[in-house]
Amino acid sequence: MSIEPEDVTMDSRNLLELASAISSGAVRVVDLTFTLTPDFPVIVLPPEFGQAAPVRIQEISRYDGRGPAWYWNNLTFGEHTGTHFDAPIHWYTGKNLPNNAVDTMPARDMVASACVIDCSAQAAQDADFLLTIPHVEAWEMRHGRIPARHWVLLRTDWSKKGWRDYANLGEDGAHTPGPDAAVMKWLVEERGIIGFGTETIGTDAGQAGHLDPPYPAHHFLHGAGRYGLQCLCNLDQLPATGAVIVAAPLKIQNGSGSPLRVIALVSSA
Amino acid sequence: MIDPIQPPRRKNPLLRTRLPTSPPKPRSRTSHGFTRAAAEGRFMLQRCDACATFCYPAREACPSCLSSSLAFTDAPRRGTLLAETTARVPSDLYFRERAPWRVGLVKMDCGPLIVAHLHADCKEDAAVHMSFQLDKGGQAVAFARPDEETPNMADDRQWREMTADPKFRRVLVTNGRSVVGQETVAALRAAGAKTVFVGVAEPWRPFAGERQLSGQEGIEIVPLDAADEKSVTDLAADIGGKVDILVNTTEYVRAGGLLDRKGTSIARDEIDQAYLGFINLAQAFGPAMRMRGADGVNNCAAWVNILSVYALANWPAFGAYSASQAACLSLSHCLRAELRPGGVKVMNLFTGPTDTEWFQTVPPPKVAPRAVAQAIVAALRNGLEEIYVGDVAEEIRLRLAANPKALERELDR
Amino acid sequence: MKNSLRIPYDGVVMAAPVTIPYRRYSIDSAQWWIGRALGALVAQAGIKPSDIDGLCVSSFTMGPDSGIGLTQHFGLCVRWLDSIPLGGASAIAALRRAARAVQAHDADIVACVAGDTNHVDSFRLTLENFSRFNQDAVYPYGAGGANSSFALIARNYMRTFGVTREDLGRIAVSQRANALRNPNALMKATLTIEQYLAARPISDPIHLFDCVMPCAGAEAFLVMRDETAASLGLAGARLLSTIERHNAFAEDPMQVRGGWAMDVGELYAMAGVKPDELDFVQTYDDYPVITMMQFEDLGFCGKGEGAAFVRQHDLTIDGDFPHNTSGGQLSVGQAGAAGAYLGLVEGLRQVLGTAGSTQVKDANLGLASGFGMINYDRGLASGAAIFAGPSR
């Protein structure tokens, strides 16, 4: 997706200022990423379906007989493990769009500003909390209309939980907060968001299989060539508006997503 | 009369650990007929096809009629102890460390004379019950026990060298998420295991039976994902020196062969969990287990694998699973050889389809998880190496011995 | 089907009995010990090495050599060669083979020699390679040697016939008394019956003084026709009879008799003598219980009467039944296969009158027996020989 911005120019001195502002701390770099480890909870699908590979970190050598001066590992993981990026090709609704994989998406889509919507209080009360259009409109009353080509990040403080409660699996599946169908369609079509990000496993709520359409975040985002981010953390360190997100997935051939480092640039002021 | 063994005290960390030594290992090729018998808990002797004479030790021709048709066959176990001696100063290092050591000469009711290790309650001129056991060198030896049950019989010092009794030992059950794993935990505790560590992977994911495991005395849930190198080495760092018996209850069962599946992601999980998990467990726990093979009353004694009987003969309906089990079977033989210098037995339990969810559509007879658990305890108590649990496994064993080609065709259903 | 018409040993003599003094441990090889014995043989007999045209050798530690390697090693060109792996019966067997060879003129001067070294691990290595049945069905049971096998035999024999440790101790004690007169005996201390009874148990009922001490050493003698001996001016002992029997009485559940019992009649008939005419007896004494069996099986008393026999007789050199006059293996030491030769070589010295400090007065007729190769649960090999001095 490439919505042309207003006629804004910037010369290289601003970029250098940005770089030195980052070094000096005037611009904070907030790491929104969970460490990639084998014990991080992953999406659990019905057992009959193919499952994502668990994360495996296998030492090749560690300054030992296998390699005296060096340490390195082999890794195994699925594309949708840990803090990760979903590309449009991941969902059937986006399967035929052009440039829909991680290796073909425009690089400029990897840097964009974010609107952070704090629903941590509601999520603390209700594990199945669903973000709705009225929730967002109330946010816009305080912070202004969500601009086009922005990330919308749903802050729930879910990332602070112990992993048992983080996955929150019951006998009828996971119970974690997310967006309802109407708000996703609206955010994509009425606000032109570049993507939606959550702290939970999945851009959709744990019980989103029962929404209509099922998994509406995946359905509408990817159907419109937009992106998803999940298992984010430290959203509580971001301002409601103004943070710039850098989310650059691995350039996997025809990849549907990948674990990645998501960082936010935030003004210290 | 045997005094019951006392619960071992805490190990003194200031003392050097006694290292394992081995009884004499060399055996003739024909003598390995006894190895096979001991591994399966059978008592077999050569019997001449021509004149029906039983003979012992292992021979190439009948000492009565010189026929060379001397097949090993199941034989009656009863005999009489003619004479006994207690070796006080054996020159062999293994026995020297364990002296005094009692052996005797038994006249079998079916004929042959057998030099045997003696249970302490065997008396001269009295009847004895013979078996072949695998000693700490992994070789078959004759063992005589009294014909009738005596008090604390399993606590006999010499008998304990042949077995891996769970009593007073600490056991790691690697996977407590499965019903077989949970039943195994319960059976081991009932058999007197001091502590059962139960490995659970992905603790963030609940599972049925979880509540029964937690908060129980003598049962300790530990994080363990066998396929994750770091998880295994971290657990071994904590409890590696305390695992006297390891029971590998990895379970990953999916139907399907080759052409009815697409891609290798399920196969990758099968190999990852069963095969790579085995390797991780062996590398992390094996060295310490091998080193502790002579470490007191609760020395390290056994590694138990639960394998599908279809490791021996592929069942195409579960063809990929069968293959991963076959891979694990081969690994287990490697491990068996590598742990043998420590006197640690690798025991393989072969079972037909268990009565668990991934075999739901398979018609009976199926093996109850509890039966597997009880077979594990029995195998440990008797020091066996190859155990077939349930009717299907036993039948596969017989059919494989009779004609593997017939079995192969008949499994193709 | 027994053929009792064995050809007599007319004209067969044994000469030049040689003992190379034993050492507890030796860093030299078995070949060195055997070579020493061969050297002593030619020196004592006043012959050249090239005069030896027959060789019979027994050794547990000469590996990887067998007899043929020794011919080149020692520069012997022989027309008759044998190796006897019969343990304690090797001397009698060697004598029997050599006797027929010289009788048939297949050879003229046969050197019969046994020699073994004793390194710190010789005993263990010998046991490990002793026999297949031992490997499969005895060694794994912990004895690490013949001790437990003989213990079982002893236990059964003692229970069956009411033999006490004291009865068996008389044999060990009398032999030690004899050994104190033998400068080559490795055991130098006296042994009383109290000490024997109080000794540490090895494998019940075997105690310390029932066991021989493995050591290094060599024994040898020459076999030739009497005319050859005469031409050399050599005194020779005349061979009167021999017996040999292996795996006898397999149906006995436990061994209470050795092969001699099958052929003892022939032993005396062929020699034309009776047991009470013998001036001394040299038995194979690994262990005392086996010696007691030999007293019974070689015709000195009935089966089960061995204990009474030793109580009734004085087994020392000057006693009424001189036995194991050099002290036997129990007091001299067991130099491997040379243990088979110890009794026969001492016996030859006795009838030749050259036994020196252990000489039995007027010894002219003697018996030496051999026993060995406990293959599984019993000693398989046995043999005996009766021989006379020149003056008988």
Side-chain angles (χ1 to χ4, degrees):
Chain A
M1 87 157 241
S2 54
I3 296 174
E4 298 301 329
E6 311 275 308
D7 190 16
V8 173
T9 59
M10 182 183 287
D11 64 34
S12 59
R13 279 174 302 167
N14 295 79
L15 286 175
L16 290 172
E17 274 177 31
L18 173 60
S20 51
I22 290 171
S23 309
S24 71
V27 169
R28 271 191 308 127
V29 180
V30 182
D31 189 352
L32 305 183
T33 318
F34 273 110
T35 307
L36 187 65
T37 80
D39 20 341
F40 191 81
V42 295
I43 191 96
V44 176
L45 295 185
E48 293 81 356
F49 292 143
Q51 305 290 325
V55 174
R56 297 286 175 239
I57 304 173
Q58 286 151 344
E59 261 183 27
I60 306 171
S61 73
R62 197 182 177 91
Y63 330 112
D64 57 17
R66 299 171 295 171
W70 49 95
Y71 160 53
W72 55 335
N73 300 302
N74 278 328
L75 302 175
T76 308
F77 46 77
E79 290 168 327
H80 298 266
T81 308
T83 302
H84 69 277
F85 186 97
D86 287 354
I89 200 176
H90 178 47
W91 210 250
Y92 81 95
T93 49
K95 69 179 177 169
N96 295 321
L97 296 175
N99 304 322
N100 59 353
V102 289
D103 61 331
T104 52
M105 63 181 278
R108 70 162 178 267
D109 288 354
M110 300 174 192
V111 184
S113 192
C115 299
V116 182
I117 303 181
D118 180 5
C119 299
S120 53
Q122 298 95 315
Q125 298 300 313
D126 177 14
D128 292 313
F129 167 77
L130 292 177
L131 181 75
T132 62
I133 296 172
H135 287 125
V136 184
E137 284 174 332
W139 183 90
E140 286 185 322
M141 290 288 283
R142 292 180 60 196
H143 301 290
R145 185 187 162 97
I146 293 171
R149 213 185 165 272
H150 272 52
W151 285 93
V152 169
L153 305 178
L154 178 61
R155 174 188 159 191
T156 53
D157 286 354
W158 210 256
S159 60
K160 297 178 196 282
K161 290 178 182 293
W163 286 341
R164 185 105 182 187
D165 295 328
Y166 181 79
N168 208 23
L169 289 162
E171 283 187 4
D172 52 357
H175 291 269
T176 57
D180 77 356
V183 78
M184 281 316 304
K185 186 172 197 293
W186 184 80
L187 284 172
V188 167
E189 293 175 2
E190 303 300 327
R191 291 295 180 268
I193 62 172
I194 195 172
F196 190 79
T198 62
E199 297 184 43
T200 49
I201 303 169
T203 47
D204 273 302
Q207 292 290 303
H210 301 292
L211 297 177
D212 181 19
Y215 307 104
H218 289 77
H219 187 99
F220 290 112
L221 282 170
H222 305 317
R226 317 297 167 83
Y227 313 110
L229 279 174
Q230 48 246 293
C231 301
L232 297 171
C233 60
N234 292 327
L235 293 187
D236 57 330
Q237 294 184 36
L238 302 184
T241 60
V244 172
I245 305 298
V246 178
L250 294 174
K251 195 173 184 182
I252 299 168
Q253 183 182 56
N254 215 36
S256 72
S258 88
L260 79 173
R261 204 66 177 264
V262 182
I263 54 177
L265 305 177
V266 176
S267 158
S268 298
Chain B
M1 183 68 137
I2 310 264
D3 289 327
I5 52 169
Q6 295 305 307
R9 285 181 299 197
R10 280 197 176 151
K11 186 171 171 174
N12 184 342
L14 301 177
L15 296 180
R16 176 186 172 278
T17 301
R18 182 173 76 160
L19 291 177
T21 51
S22 179
K25 287 194 209 177
R27 296 290 195 280
S28 65
R29 180 169 297 175
T30 307
S31 193
H32 282 301
F34 302 119
T35 311
R36 180 205 158 181
E40 295 180 15
R42 297 164 69 180
F43 185 72
M44 301 175 83
L45 294 172
Q46 284 173 301
R47 187 174 208 183
C48 178
D49 285 344
C51 72
T53 307
F54 284 101
C55 65
Y56 180 88
R59 282 174 163 82
E60 313 302 345
C62 175
S64 280
C65 72
L66 288 180
S67 164
S68 50
S69 292
L70 274 182
F72 280 87
T73 134
D74 292 306
R77 291 175 179 263
R78 208 172 166 283
T80 305
L81 180 61
L82 294 185
E84 57 146 313
T85 180
T86 301
R88 312 257 172 202
V89 193
S91 58
D92 177 86
L93 178 59
Y94 170 88
F95 289 103
R96 181 190 203 89
E97 291 177 332
R98 289 156 181 81
W101 191 276
R102 212 157 154 261
V103 299
L105 192 65
V106 174
K107 170 99 171 107
M108 299 301 294
D109 287 359
C110 64
L113 291 158
I114 300 186
V115 171
H117 295 301
L118 294 184
H119 186 279
D121 289 336
C122 289
K123 294 185 180 7
E124 279 169 334
D125 304 327
V128 297
H129 171 96
M130 291 291 280
S131 63
F132 283 108
Q133 305 294 139
L134 295 174
D135 66 12
K136 283 292 188 187
Q139 301 291 44
V141 286
F143 201 101
R145 282 173 287 166
D147 206 25
E148 272 151 22
E149 186 86 16
T150 57
N152 306 312
M153 205 160 150
D155 289 356
D156 178 70
R157 203 170 50 86
Q158 296 187 195
W159 177 250
R160 280 181 66 84
E161 286 290 307
M162 311 289 154
T163 59
D165 202 308
K167 184 162 143 186
F168 296 150
R169 288 194 163 103
R170 299 152 298 181
V171 188
L172 171 61
V173 174
T174 62
N175 171 31
R177 297 189 82 98
S178 68
V179 182
V180 170
Q182 290 153 26
E183 290 285 351
T184 300
V185 171
L188 288 166
R189 276 291 292 160
K194 173 165 182 280
T195 306
V196 182
F197 301 104
V198 191
V200 172
E202 299 181 329
W204 47 268
R205 200 205 302 221
F207 61 97
E210 194 174 1
R211 218 166 303 135
Q212 282 87 304
L213 284 179
S214 38
Q216 302 273 8
E217 204 194 311
I219 297 175
E220 214 177 292
I221 299 181
V222 294
L224 176 60
D225 182 352
D228 171 22
E229 216 171 85
K230 184 169 182 294
S231 171
V232 181
T233 50
D234 282 354
L235 182 64
D238 276 339
I239 68 167
K242 296 179 189 171
V243 174
D244 307 323
I245 297 172
L246 188 148
V247 184
N248 180 8
T249 52
T250 294
E251 191 176 292
Y252 189 89
V253 180
R254 295 291 185 273
L258 285 166
L259 303 187
D260 55 354
R261 282 190 184 178
K262 197 162 173 236
T264 56
S265 72
I266 301 179
R268 202 205 44 75
D269 279 334
E270 281 161 347
I271 299 298
D272 185 57
Q273 294 208 23
Y275 186 85
L276 297 181
F278 191 122
I279 293 175
N280 288 334
L281 288 170
Q283 289 179 348
F285 287 92
M289 289 177 77
R290 180 171 64 185
M291 187 256 199
R292 288 192 53 245
D295 188 17
V297 165
N298 56 350
N299 57 342
C300 181
W303 175 302
V304 183
N305 295 308
I306 302 170
L307 296 170
S308 167
V309 72
Y310 300 110
L312 300 165
N314 189 294
W315 181 22
F318 283 79
Y321 169 66
S322 300
S324 73
Q325 292 290 291
C328 293
L329 173 63
S330 187
L331 271 189
S332 78
H333 291 168
C334 180
L335 183 66
R336 184 174 280 157
E338 292 181 345
L339 289 183
R340 192 173 304 126
V344 178
K345 279 188 181 55
V346 173
M347 303 178 170
N348 285 337
L349 263 84
F350 298 100
T351 166
T354 48
D355 207 348
T356 54
E357 52 175 338
W358 289 100
F359 291 114
Q360 177 235 334
T361 58
V362 175
K366 290 192 277 196
V367 182
R370 184 160 301 175
V372 176
Q374 285 165 351
I376 291 172
V377 171
L380 291 169
R381 283 192 172 136
N382 287 296
L384 308 180
E385 254 185 19
E386 317 285 346
I387 305 96
Y388 292 82
V389 186
D391 298 330
V392 169
E394 178 60 25
E395 195 190 85
I396 296 284
R397 180 178 78 83
L398 291 169
R399 286 159 67 189
L400 194 58
N403 182 352
K405 238 14 192 173
L407 177 60
E408 185 189 334
R409 287 296 183 274
E410 288 166 358
L411 282 174
D412 174 17
R413 241 185 271 140
Chain C
M1 188 171 69
K2 189 182 144 119
N3 181 4
S4 55
L5 298 175
R6 286 178 57 206
I7 295 170
Y9 288 112
D10 293 349
V12 178
V13 298
M14 298 95 81
V18 153
T19 299
I20 308 301
Y22 298 172
R23 288 209 293 268
R24 174 78 167 109
Y25 288 110
S26 165
I27 62 172
D28 293 305
S29 65
Q31 283 80 345
W32 183 87
W33 287 90
I34 293 168
R36 292 264 292 154
L38 289 170
L41 281 176
V42 304
Q44 209 187 114
I47 58 177
K48 301 187 296 298
S50 54
D51 293 329
I52 297 176
D53 66 344
L55 174 66
C56 188
V57 63
S58 296
S59 175
F60 287 112
T61 56
M62 70 174 172
D65 269 339
S66 59
I68 188 66
L70 301 186
T71 61
Q72 188 175 36
H73 193 128
F74 297 123
L76 302 175
C77 172
V78 296
R79 54 188 176 133
W80 186 90
L81 175 67
D82 207 349
S83 303
I84 311 280
L86 294 178
S90 295
I92 305 299
L95 171 59
R96 283 166 52 89
R97 312 285 181 267
R100 295 308 186 190
V102 302
Q103 267 191 327
H105 291 246
D106 287 347
D108 294 330
I109 300 180
V110 178
C112 295
V113 58
D116 268 295
T117 186
N118 191 39
H119 307 321
V120 290
D121 56 353
S122 294
F123 190 62
R124 175 173 61 82
L125 293 173
T126 301
L127 290 172
E128 286 172 5
N129 296 297
F130 203 68
S131 77
R132 180 167 135 170
F133 279 9
N134 248 289
Q135 169 197 263
D136 284 351
V138 177
Y139 202 46
Y141 295 87
N147 285 333
S148 286
S149 307
F150 279 104
L152 290 169
I153 291 173
R155 169 91 179 138
N156 177 69
Y157 182 87
M158 293 166 78
R159 286 177 72 216
T160 304
F161 300 120
V163 175
T164 67
R165 285 194 59 218
E166 188 159 345
D167 297 327
L168 295 169
R170 287 172 185 275
I171 296 169
V173 167
S174 62
Q175 287 186 203
R176 182 61 62 89
N178 294 345
L180 295 181
R181 293 163 63 159
N182 175 3
N184 290 330
L186 290 183
M187 302 300 198
K188 307 282 188 201
T190 54
L191 177 66
T192 64
I193 190 66
E194 290 75 25
Q195 287 167 321
Y196 171 87
L197 291 170
R200 70 195 279 226
I202 303 298
S203 190
D204 305 358
I206 301 288
H207 289 62
L208 183 63
F209 294 114
D210 295 309
C211 301
V212 300
M213 176 190 282
C215 61
E219 306 261 357
F221 55 88
L222 296 174
V223 177
M224 61 189 73
R225 295 181 300 282
D226 51 7
E227 69 258 20
T228 312
S231 74
L232 294 171
L234 268 184
R238 290 178 299 115
L239 180 60
L240 300 183
S241 69
T242 70
I243 52 172
E244 181 179 349
R245 181 68 68 170
H246 307 301
N247 193 31
F249 306 121
E251 66 280 6
D252 287 354
M254 292 197 69
Q255 186 167 46
V256 292
R257 50 188 170 160
W260 320 276
M262 264 185 88
D263 307 294
V264 60
E266 177 181 286
L267 177 70
Y268 289 104
M270 202 176 165
V273 305
K274 294 197 184 47
D276 56 15
E277 293 178 57
L278 296 168
D279 295 321
F280 60 85
V281 172
Q282 316 284 3
T283 64
Y284 188 83
D285 61 330
D286 188 7
Y287 300 58
V289 67
I290 302 299
T291 286
M292 193 175 278
M293 275 189 213
Q294 284 162 89
F295 291 154
E296 296 165 350
D297 296 339
L298 288 165
F300 302 107
C301 60
K303 181 51 63 181
E305 295 173 0
F309 181 83
V310 301
R311 288 199 288 268
Q312 288 152 15
H313 292 279
D314 179 349
L315 305 174
T316 61
I317 291 166
D318 300 323
D320 67 305
F321 191 86
H323 167 254
N324 284 357
T325 53
S326 66
Q329 297 175 91
L330 283 171
S331 288
V332 179
Q334 180 183 72
Y341 276 62
L342 182 150
L344 179 55
V345 169
E346 167 72 2
L348 294 178
R349 282 194 285 260
Q350 290 287 341
V351 300
L352 292 173
T354 60
S357 45
T358 60
Q359 182 69 55
V360 172
K361 200 165 175 311
D362 300 324
N364 279 304
L365 185 69
L367 181 153
S369 69
F371 171 85
M373 302 315 286
I374 183 144
N375 186 53
Y376 170 46
D377 60 332
R378 60 196 64 207
L380 295 184
S382 68
I386 294 178
F387 43 94
S391 52
R392 195 180 198 275

